[in-house]
Amino acid sequence: SFELTQPLSVSVALGQTATISCGGDDIGSRNVHWYQQRPGQAPVVVIFRNSNRPSETPERFSGTNSGNTATLTISRAQAGDEADYYCQVWDTSTVFGGGTKLTVL
Amino acid sequence: QVQLQESGPGLVKPPETLSLTCTVSGGSISRSRYYWGWIRQPPGKGLEWIGSIYYGGNTYYNPSLKSRVTLSVDTSTNQFSLKLSSVTAADTAVYYCARHTGLEYAFLVWGQGTLVTVSS
């Protein structure tokens, strides 16, 4: 079965740029979606189809996808960005990455 | 603005069947070409897709759960449902219902989730 690999945790200084990776075999050929999940809340999509932002997502969030790695980039990180982030693809079934806990220092 | 709300027992005994319903408000299941999915999250762990059902009735399941899962849609009540049989403690999780426009597409609308504990 298809597997997605994410770092368990990422730390970023307030106002700096955070990058969260999502690795998978030839993931660049698939549509990748990213979710933000704050404690006790349901996930919310922040990037869909690799690099598209819902209207509610700040422009500070961006996504890229190429080769074996998709990346979520959060510019000018804020305290409110602290959350778990999950990538997701479809490969004969829906697959989620293991999730990355983002800490804003 | 469509909204989803999960409902069902919060406690299920092993090896009984877990049954949950997701009520759709703000839109009709039968008039829209959407997929309706279930995702779960064990306490302190990541997300796991359970399966999705197309409004027309086609079903798609996680291979690891396929033998125990049944999804259905009830257009008369604007609800869709999940049944998971032979549950064990490993099935304890927050269960979310969600909507997507295609199997390759993101889950853009989520319910708030409901915690189901499996314990005797």
Side-chain angles (χ1 to χ4, degrees):
Chain A
S1 63
F2 195 78
E3 292 186 359
L4 296 174
T5 301
Q6 297 183 237
L8 284 176
S9 63
V10 168
S11 297
V12 61
L14 186 68
Q16 298 304 302
T17 298
T19 59
I20 299 174
S21 62
C22 176
D25 186 30
D26 195 28
I27 195 174
S29 66
R30 307 169 192 277
N31 286 321
V32 178
H33 318 296
W34 290 93
Y35 301 86
Q36 176 192 69
Q37 186 180 34
R38 295 190 173 102
Q41 297 185 17
V44 174
V45 63
V46 291
I47 294 289
F48 63 95
R49 274 188 280 128
N50 304 317
S51 59
N52 295 277
R53 274 190 312 272
S55 57
E56 304 83 4
T57 301
E59 291 185 6
R60 302 182 294 104
F61 287 74
S62 62
T64 59
N65 185 21
S66 178
N68 294 321
T69 305
T71 302
L72 174 68
T73 301
I74 306 171
S75 305
R76 303 182 300 283
Q78 301 178 0
D81 298 333
E82 274 206 354
D84 293 327
Y85 291 85
Y86 294 90
C87 56
Q88 176 234 317
V89 301
W90 167 263
D91 171 74
T92 70
S93 67
T94 290
V95 179
F96 288 97
T100 299
K101 181 176 181 60
L102 177 68
T103 301
V104 180
L105 304 172
Chain B
Q1 184 80 359
V2 66
Q3 293 184 319
L4 308 180
Q5 178 67 60
E6 306 87 352
S7 59
L11 180 64
V12 180
K13 294 180 180 180
E16 295 180 350
T17 295
L18 179 159
S19 296
L20 294 175
T21 296
C22 183
T23 300
V24 180
S25 58
S28 172
I29 280 185
S30 60
R31 295 180 187 172
S32 52
R33 299 186 177 186
Y34 290 111
Y35 290 73
W36 306 92
W38 290 94
I39 299 103
R40 71 180 182 178
Q41 185 172 36
K45 296 187 178 181
L47 302 170
E48 180 181 33
W49 176 70
I50 299 170
S52 295
I53 184 166
Y54 188 49
Y55 85 108
N58 290 350
T59 53
Y60 307 85
Y61 297 130
N62 184 327
S64 68
L65 298 169
K66 185 175 182 178
S67 63
R68 298 195 292 131
V69 174
T70 302
L71 302 186
S72 60
V73 170
D74 187 339
T75 56
S76 67
T77 58
N78 222 36
Q79 296 175 326
F80 61 104
S81 299
L82 162 70
K83 292 187 184 297
L84 180 66
S85 64
S86 305
V87 297
T88 69
D91 295 309
T92 294
V94 174
Y95 285 76
Y96 296 99
C97 59
R99 187 186 80 173
H100 52 148
T101 52
L103 295 173
E104 295 186 20
Y105 290 78
F107 295 93
L108 295 181
V109 182
W110 293 67
Q112 66 183 26
T114 186
L115 174 63
V116 179
T117 301
V118 178
S119 176
S120 55

